[in-house]
Amino acid sequence: MPKKESFLVNRLKSVGYALKGAILLITKESSIKIQLGVAVLVTIAGFYFEISKTEWLIQILTIALIIGLEGVNTAIEEVANFVHPEYHKKIGYIKDVAAGAVFIAAICAAIMGCIIYIPKF
């Protein structure tokens, strides 16, 4: 029986897999590249307009939510394509719902951005 790895070794491996996944997501998915571009722009705007600590927290959380949901959406699409490569009505529904979740979060993010930045003008 092979020796069981320690908790710390397992955690470090998990972080490595997560980092690999994040790099794959950023380098392979155009939607993430767009979201990261928007994240950079609002981060620059945050420094320029000197937003409050609370506004920073909301902005960072919102960026994380959108990018995280994009990652989950991508994973769902990849699994769906792997399971059923040809078009299937149910797979289409699953992929549309996953994309819809990202869309809803993006609309909410845009509203939060307006609430933070419109008063600065």
Side-chain angles (χ1 to χ4, degrees), residues 25-36 70:
L25 193 60
I26 292 166
T27 58
K28 304 285 184 192
E29 293 300 317
S30 57
S31 59
I32 286 291
K33 291 175 185 175
I34 292 166
Q35 297 295 353
L36 284 174
E70 281 284 4

Side-chain angles (χ1 to χ4, degrees), residues 24-87:
L24 285 171
L25 193 60
I26 292 166
T27 58
K28 304 285 184 192
E29 293 300 317
S30 57
S31 59
I32 286 291
K33 291 175 185 175
I34 292 166
Q35 297 295 353
L36 284 174
V38 171
V40 168
L41 289 175
V42 296
T43 300
I44 291 168
F47 285 114
Y48 179 80
F49 290 108
E50 299 178 351
I51 62 176
S52 71
K53 183 188 286 188
T54 302
E55 291 168 332
W56 272 114
L57 293 172
I58 292 167
Q59 183 167 293
I60 291 166
L61 183 60
T62 303
I63 290 168
L65 174 69
I66 297 296
I67 292 174
L69 275 176
E70 281 284 4
V72 171
N73 180 48
T74 298
I76 289 169
E77 288 181 355
E78 289 295 320
V79 169
N81 291 339
F82 179 77
V83 169
H84 208 292
E86 308 84 35
Y87 176 79

Side-chain angles (χ1 to χ4, degrees), residues 1-6:
M1 179 156 57
K3 182 181 172 190
K4 186 176 178 185
E5 293 177 333
S6 72

